[in-house]
Amino acid sequence: MIERQPLASVSVKGQHGNAYRIDQPVTLIGRSSKNDIPLSGDRLVSRRHATLCFEQGKYILTDEDSANGTYINGIKIAPHRPYILRHGAELRIGSNILVFELHDVEMPRIEDIPTVILPVRGVMGSQADEARVAQPGAAAAWQLTSFSPRLIGIGSWNAFFIYLHRPDAAQQVRQDALRLLHEIENDTEESADAGEVFVHPDMNLTIVPEGEGIFFHPRRITRNGMKDWQRATFRFYVKPEQEAKMRTCSIAFYAGPLLLGLLEVPLEFAGKELDTWPPAHENCIQMTTESLHTVYLAYSHEDEVIARAIHKALRTLDFPFLREVEELRREQREGPELEQKLKSASIFQLFWSSNAARSAYMKQEWESALRLAGEHTFLRPVYWEVPLVSPSEELRKLHFTYIPANVL
């Protein structure tokens, strides 16, 4: 079998032979020897310093909120924001200079992108899964549930389980979580990750966890098709230099492009590594919240990929508020009608792009949303164009979440 030519390579200047082949969707860079590109012995390098990903035909570098920053061609990049790497780019990480080089090979398949994309299978792997589809008009209500460690170790890897499920599947979710906790304690892997009944077979579900000072792996998970319940498992790492005893992890659920729900999970860190940790099933806390039904979707109709995805969501999901907002926006109504819809919304989801930045109507929308917002969490900007189109000054204090266009 002929070995596949590497897609790219990273070499360390001044270190003969230290060239790393980049042929995986996610490459970790840092001081720890567990990284794909270990920069050991340099105290200016954080343990998990940066991540190099392949997405939509481009290599993208993200600084993981490192202590001393990451530089591309002499320019310091903002943490947690993806930057496209060009052939010959020089990266400064700590006292190391790394050179990024592209190689002429064919583009990888869609499954080679760093978003983990999982087909939803039945619990018993039944071939009849696709025939078990919920009837049209099935309950639009969804619940979001997490099972996370009650006490978390700093500087070590932890894990939590995230579920999206219908209310009548809550008992199955709890049984699955208890089974998985038992498997962790006994080092086995037998637990299923989805129910048997399709609710929206053609709708992608994407789950994105975010938290300051926390590194998540994978960065996001996408499922092809939504069943009555499904689980995603994330590992996360808290940097040792983080001193706060309490932090909040925000978990966002997207049905196609639509923000379907938000789950805020409090994390409590142990001040030091414990000699004896409690069993996994005892060191666990469950949280559940309801899905969002009144999300105001603000996007530019010139962004065809977003417009198509939103129209598909309108056809699939039984949320009247979405259709009412879409009708209002299609006619570009202003004044009291716009204000009333914004006041009725639980979330203002802003799809930011070069077209959105030029849209006068969208500017009116997000300015009104800023005036109405009691707190900044009301506005949830997302983007898919890389690099991020520079936001207007009033929006720069908000956190922009990156969602690859291919998972919408």
Side-chain angles (χ1 to χ4, degrees):
M1 180 178 176
I2 299 176
E3 185 179 9
R4 182 181 178 183
Q5 183 179 352
L7 293 172
S9 64
V10 171
S11 55
V12 183
K13 267 192 172 182
Q15 297 184 16
H16 180 68
N18 268 23
Y20 297 90
R21 167 180 168 152
I22 310 298
D23 58 357
Q24 298 296 322
V26 180
T27 300
L28 305 179
I29 306 172
R31 192 175 75 245
S32 169
S33 60
K34 296 180 180 179
N35 288 288
D36 302 299
I37 301 180
L39 302 175
S40 306
D42 187 345
R43 303 303 297 180
L44 297 177
V45 179
S46 298
R47 293 185 182 183
R48 292 287 186 271
H49 196 104
T51 304
L52 178 60
C53 298
F54 186 84
E55 290 187 353
Q56 303 176 60
K58 301 180 180 66
Y59 280 93
I60 294 172
L61 185 73
T62 304
D63 178 87
E64 300 295 348
D65 197 18
S66 61
N68 295 295
T70 301
Y71 295 77
I72 301 178
N73 295 329
I75 300 174
K76 187 175 183 180
I77 65 176
H80 300 309
R81 287 192 178 178
Y83 290 81
I84 296 174
L85 289 184
R86 310 293 183 188
H87 175 73
E90 287 195 351
L91 319 178
R92 178 155 67 85
I93 296 179
S95 58
N96 301 274
I97 301 296
L98 289 71
V99 180
F100 173 79
E101 295 180 288
L102 283 170
H103 303 274
D104 293 327
V105 293
E106 62 182 75
M107 289 294 98
R109 300 165 300 168
I110 190 169
E111 57 265 31
D112 290 331
I113 63 173
T115 300
V116 176
I117 301 182
L118 304 174
V120 181
R121 300 182 178 90
V123 172
M124 304 304 294
S126 168
Q127 296 181 356
D129 280 344
E130 295 184 5
R132 303 189 62 180
V133 179
Q135 294 300 313
W142 292 87
Q143 290 182 333
L144 296 65
T145 297
S146 68
F147 292 83
S148 59
R150 187 181 301 274
L151 194 60
I152 298 167
I154 294 181
S156 60
W157 284 96
N158 301 270
F160 53 36
F161 322 129
I162 311 299
Y163 294 85
L164 177 73
H165 59 94
R166 294 175 64 179
D168 55 8
Q171 185 60 31
Q172 293 170 274
V173 163
R174 181 163 180 80
Q175 289 174 352
D176 179 75
L178 292 174
R179 199 161 44 237
L180 189 60
L181 290 168
H182 176 77
E183 291 167 9
I184 289 174
E185 292 175 0
N186 293 276
D187 196 26
T188 60
E189 296 183 1
E190 298 177 356
S191 185
D193 61 3
E196 294 184 333
V197 180
F198 275 107
V199 179
H200 301 306
D202 300 323
M203 180 64 67
N204 281 350
L205 168 68
T206 300
I207 304 174
V208 185
E210 294 176 312
E212 183 181 355
I214 306 173
F215 176 80
F216 295 96
H217 183 74
R219 188 171 296 277
R220 67 192 78 84
I221 290 177
T222 292
R223 291 192 169 281
N224 298 136
M226 293 170 61
K227 288 196 169 184
D228 54 343
W229 69 269
Q230 45 263 301
R231 166 172 46 82
T233 302
F234 289 92
R235 297 173 66 231
F236 65 98
Y237 175 90
V238 182
K239 299 180 180 181
E241 55 267 30
Q242 301 295 330
E243 298 179 356
K245 292 185 178 181
M246 291 292 298
R247 285 184 182 272
T248 298
C249 166
S250 177
I251 304 166
F253 294 73
Y254 295 89
L258 168 67
L259 182 59
L260 185 62
L262 287 169
L263 188 60
E264 302 291 331
V265 179
L267 303 176
E268 181 180 357
F269 304 132
K272 60 180 181 180
E273 192 69 18
L274 303 181
D275 295 331
T276 303
W277 285 87
H281 70 277
E282 295 180 7
N283 187 38
C284 181
I285 185 170
Q286 175 184 349
M287 295 192 65
T288 299
T289 189
E290 303 295 325
S291 60
L292 302 168
H293 290 178
T294 54
V295 177
Y296 188 109
L297 302 179
Y299 68 98
S300 169
H301 287 88
E302 295 183 25
D303 290 322
E304 294 184 2
V305 64
I306 297 298
R308 286 196 301 268
I310 288 177
H311 291 160
K312 178 180 177 181
L314 290 173
R315 292 193 303 268
T316 304
L317 301 172
D318 185 22
F319 293 160
F321 187 86
L322 291 179
R323 293 193 294 271
E324 293 168 5
V325 169
E326 181 64 14
E327 181 181 351
L328 179 147
R329 299 192 74 254
R330 187 168 54 248
E331 299 175 5
Q332 296 204 350
R333 301 182 201 169
E334 302 177 0
E337 283 189 277
L338 173 63
E339 293 283 328
Q340 184 57 45
K341 277 300 173 194
L342 287 170
K343 288 179 181 178
S344 302
S346 54
I347 290 290
F348 179 86
Q349 187 179 356
L350 174 62
F351 293 85
W352 191 251
S353 66
S354 52
N355 288 322
R358 293 191 296 266
S359 171
Y361 184 73
M362 287 189 65
K363 185 173 189 293
Q364 182 183 3
E365 287 179 305
W366 60 253
E367 284 181 339
S368 298
L370 283 173
R371 286 195 302 270
L372 292 170
E375 52 185 34
H376 297 318
T377 54
F378 174 65
L379 281 83
R380 304 289 298 201
V382 297
Y383 69 104
W384 65 99
E385 293 181 348
V386 178
L388 170 65
V389 176
S390 181
S392 302
E393 184 175 354
E394 302 94 320
L395 297 173
R396 289 175 187 170
K397 57 181 173 289
L398 302 176
H399 174 72
F400 284 68
T401 298
Y402 173 61
I403 303 292
N406 63 290
V407 305
L408 296 173

